[in-house]
Amino acid sequence: MSVRVRFAPSPTGFMHVGNARTALFNYLFARHHGGTFILRIEDTDIERHSEEAVRVIYEALKWMGIDWDEGPDVGGPFGPYRQSERLNIYKEFIEKLKEKGLVYECYCTPEELEEMRKEQLKRGEPPRYTGKCRNLTEEEKEKLRKMGRKPVLRFKVPEDRTIVFEDLVKGRIEINSRQLGGDFVVVRSNGMPVYNFVVVVDDALMKITHVIRGEDHISNTPKQILLYEALGFTPPAFAHLPMILGPDRSKLSKRHGSTSVREFKEKGYLPEAFTNFLALLGWYPKDGKEILSMDELIKRFDIKDVNSAPAIFDTTKLNWMNQVYIRSYPVEKLTDLIIPYLEKAGYDTSNFNRKWLEKVIEVTREYLTVLSDAPGYMETFLKDDFEVSEEAKSFLAENPDRLKVIELFYHKIKSLEGELSEEKFKEIIKEIGKELKVKGKNLFMPVRIALTGKMSGVELPILVKLLGKERVLKRVENSLKQVNL
RNA sequence: GUCCCCGUCGUCUAGCCAGGCCUAGGACACCGGCCUUUCACGCCGGCGACGCGGGUUCGAAUCCCGCCGGGGACGCCA
């Protein structure tokens, strides 16, 4: 039987990195086995769902390089792929449960249930539904209905049964039905079925073979297995991925900083780096190779190699990976991605020659960790009216020779005939060194300051070449003005 | 509180199932050196972990028991 897996997020308006990793592992698993990857939108909680929120999911997945074979937008043989559009399907299976006498109406109000939970907790008992309404008579129900109460439908959980499943990453897991918190709700009082129920119906009908999801779903699994059985379906295989933790070792959430895919995209992480990094959170290739393209990930991915211990989300390594990817990215693509950051920083990029911009990026890419660093590092090339830093000024003031270097450099460039090439620049510097009898830092640093106002930066010959004679002169004039007070 | 899951360098992890090849390997980070007439890159080196206690065994990171620690779940959220 061919592998069919699904990623089933609820549209909350943002894609959490934990969800992104779940999607990725499902995707890798599907592609590795030549199976089908399905996208299903879990929006039974209608109040929270919006079209925009669904689009956020599409965008995040596409950005990461994940495509799906079946889904709300592309369709497929087992649609619809949005739970809010599957309501009559669920109704049919609710009827089945009713016929079998496996569900019953419960008229307790949320307030009553909350009260009950509090008391149980106070007594040191695990909170659970007691089964209060399990044996209500018709008259009692009628009475409660007259009070204006709308019932929920609860599933009858068997008294004392050990539910066992073989988890693909955790191993054998056994839970007694007594630990399930009592009879659980399958249909809300507003008639809307609840997650644990719809997920079973959908996974069964969509012929899902492997359910790969976060560890926080382990406690749902026995309930779902009970429903599979009640409905006459065979449960799929389960694989529960270890949690992703924040630096404080608690479940990663918004208070830990950036946790949405979009934030990483906006900061300027390359999708290849981000995906590569996520893949290594809880999984490790047998051969130990860490920089891996999507194809290489697919080739190597094995659910058996997924770690069962949780991982802390620490972006230090992501930063390194991003640098690695930035340095090997095609310049054209990199330029396309960097231009928006330049625009945001106030540059009108239409003023720049595209080829020239690419050359600038070619030399500055080495310095970038994230794309949003680009405007800062590229400033040296883009802005001629810079300010000479205080550090640089005092450096020049320390030794009169240093200023002389700048002045001589200026005259030599001014009287230069023809193009200012890298070689020409090196020659000129050598000449200055000989004529003024200076060398080392005393020779190079003044020129650097005159050209950039800073004490560090890219290699001078390259800078000079990309600037051209006119801009070099303009810059030296600008610096001289600031230093000669 | 109850149940479930987890515990190897600061972090991601290899090794654990099939005990000796482990004076525990790699990567990131950190520190130092080299390279570079700057910074970064690159190269070389260093620091650094089997949660604790018992047991089994000639031998345990690996198997067993207990403890401790961390996390998750306990919704008419998904």
Side-chain angles (χ1 to χ4, degrees):
Chain A
M1 190 174 42
S2 87
V3 163
R4 290 177 58 84
V5 296
R6 50 43 167 204
F7 173 57
S10 69
T12 56
F14 71 106
M15 176 80 110
H16 188 268
V17 294
N19 277 124
R21 198 219 22 193
T22 302
L24 178 62
F25 281 26
N26 271 285
Y27 178 76
L28 294 176
F29 183 79
R31 292 289 174 261
H32 179 87
H33 292 284
T36 308
F37 176 66
I38 297 150
L39 176 63
R40 186 176 71 219
I41 302 297
E42 311 237 312
D43 56 354
T44 55
D45 193 11
I46 21 174
E47 284 132 52
R48 293 209 299 194
H49 120 267
S50 79
E51 212 39 51
E52 173 55 25
V54 175
R55 216 166 317 131
V56 168
I57 292 166
Y58 294 162
E59 269 169 32
L61 291 176
K62 280 181 187 160
W63 181 70
M64 290 174 67
I66 293 174
D67 56 275
W68 47 100
D69 308 307
E70 297 173 25
D73 54 340
V74 295
F78 302 98
Y81 292 90
R82 198 180 286 215
Q83 291 185 330
S84 56
E85 292 167 12
R86 298 172 63 80
L87 266 21
N88 29 7
I89 297 175
Y90 304 138
K91 224 165 253 164
E92 187 187 317
F93 288 93
I94 288 295
E95 283 313 311
K96 243 186 186 162
L97 290 182
K98 279 186 187 163
E99 280 165 29
K100 289 187 178 176
L102 292 170
V103 291
Y104 62 91
E105 295 179 339
C106 166
Y107 288 84
C108 297
T109 63
E111 294 74 33
E112 287 171 349
L113 294 169
E114 187 50 39
E115 187 61 30
M116 210 184 292
R117 267 192 289 271
K118 267 189 203 151
E119 273 176 39
Q120 287 167 328
L121 237 23
K122 219 192 295 173
R123 268 179 276 144
E125 293 169 15
R128 69 194 307 273
Y129 178 70
T130 55
K132 193 178 164 196
C133 298
R134 200 160 176 164
N135 300 308
L136 250 35
T137 63
E138 258 325 301
E139 295 81 62
E140 288 170 319
K141 287 184 195 170
E142 189 51 41
K143 214 167 117 190
L144 287 156
R145 272 194 288 266
K146 276 196 182 132
M147 288 167 69
R149 291 200 182 185
K150 290 247 193 309
V152 300
L153 231 48
R154 282 185 187 272
F155 179 78
K156 290 181 182 169
V157 173
E159 257 317 292
D160 177 19
R161 231 200 85 189
T162 306
I163 299 145
V164 185
F165 64 99
E166 209 61 51
D167 193 280
L168 261 33
V169 342
K170 300 281 183 186
R172 189 186 192 79
I173 295 177
E174 295 185 18
I175 297 173
N176 190 284
S177 58
R178 265 192 291 245
Q179 305 300 147
L180 263 30
D183 299 335
F184 56 88
V185 175
V186 288
V187 180
R188 297 182 178 86
S189 55
N190 66 3
M192 196 62 77
V194 116
Y195 167 76
N196 271 325
F197 175 76
V198 298
V199 79
V200 167
V201 172
D202 289 344
D203 285 342
L205 261 33
M206 293 180 183
K207 303 205 183 307
I208 300 302
T209 56
H210 303 259
V211 169
I212 303 170
R213 64 204 338 182
E215 192 180 357
D216 44 347
H217 282 284
I218 287 183
S219 54
N220 285 322
T221 307
K223 293 180 190 173
Q224 292 169 13
I225 289 175
L226 253 20
L227 287 172
Y228 275 101
E229 290 173 2
L231 261 12
F233 295 129
T234 311
F238 293 97
H240 288 96
L241 273 19
M243 217 83 282
I244 297 180
L245 274 28
D248 63 351
R249 300 200 155 269
S250 71
K251 191 174 170 179
L252 187 68
S253 70
K254 271 168 275 186
R255 71 194 160 81
H256 292 114
S258 303
T259 51
S260 79
V261 173
R262 179 183 265 165
E263 286 172 280
F264 285 92
K265 181 186 172 186
E266 281 169 1
K267 272 191 191 158
Y269 287 95
L270 259 20
E272 291 83 352
F274 182 74
T275 304
N276 193 162
F277 173 71
L278 279 191
L280 260 34
L281 235 47
W283 173 79
Y284 207 75
K286 275 267 166 280
D287 61 3
K289 191 176 181 229
E290 293 193 319
I291 299 290
L292 298 162
S293 68
M294 189 64 98
D295 284 342
E296 291 172 306
L297 289 171
I298 290 167
K299 202 170 290 166
R300 278 159 237 244
F301 187 78
D302 188 338
I303 195 82
K304 285 195 210 79
D305 296 334
V306 173
N307 208 150
S308 58
I312 292 174
F313 190 75
D314 179 354
T315 51
T316 344
K317 197 159 186 170
L318 169 61
N319 286 338
W320 164 74
M321 273 193 178
N322 209 47
Q323 288 178 46
V324 171
Y325 279 91
I326 284 175
R327 274 184 273 140
S328 64
Y329 230 55
V331 214
E332 304 78 46
K333 264 171 96 179
L334 202 58
T335 305
D336 289 340
L337 291 175
I338 283 174
I339 283 174
Y341 292 96
L342 293 174
E343 293 283 343
K344 213 179 291 167
Y347 294 102
D348 180 358
T349 53
S350 59
N351 289 337
F352 303 129
N353 173 285
R354 169 79 190 203
K355 282 283 160 240
W356 179 80
L357 200 59
E358 285 181 6
K359 278 180 193 154
V360 171
I361 286 171
E362 184 72 67
V363 317
T364 41
R365 77 201 302 186
E366 307 286 328
Y367 296 80
L368 307 181
T369 298
V370 288
L371 264 25
S372 56
D373 291 340
Y377 284 103
M378 289 172 72
E379 195 186 339
T380 331
F381 292 91
L382 308 180
K383 264 175 88 176
D384 289 336
D385 54 341
F386 53 82
E387 275 186 29
V388 177
S389 76
E390 287 308 312
E391 188 196 9
K393 279 182 187 166
S394 46
F395 175 83
L396 291 179
E398 274 168 29
N399 182 338
D401 279 351
R402 294 172 180 170
L403 214 56
K404 279 188 204 153
V405 169
I406 297 179
E407 279 158 358
L408 186 54
F409 175 72
Y410 181 72
H411 291 303
K412 284 195 180 284
I413 297 293
K414 188 139 200 189
S415 55
L416 174 74
E417 312 241 329
E419 282 293 293
L420 177 52
S421 65
E422 288 182 45
E423 289 69 33
K424 203 81 210 158
F425 171 77
K426 285 179 191 163
E427 263 173 47
I428 289 172
I429 292 296
K430 221 177 264 174
E431 285 171 27
I432 296 172
K434 240 185 245 163
E435 289 173 31
L436 259 39
K437 293 193 170 46
V438 288
K439 57 180 178 179
K441 217 174 183 180
N442 285 333
L443 211 204
F444 273 77
M445 203 47 89
V447 176
R448 173 176 297 286
I449 292 168
L451 292 174
T452 69
K454 294 192 182 78
M455 300 277 288
S456 68
V458 295
E459 283 180 49
L460 288 179
I462 296 169
L463 175 72
V464 164
K465 184 188 137 203
L466 285 173
L467 248 30
K469 191 174 154 186
E470 292 312 309
R471 290 183 68 190
V472 164
L473 288 173
K474 228 163 92 190
R475 284 179 176 220
V476 179
E477 284 162 18
N478 169 43
S479 302
L480 244 22
K481 236 179 279 166
Q482 295 182 51
V483 179
N484 272 338
L485 291 177

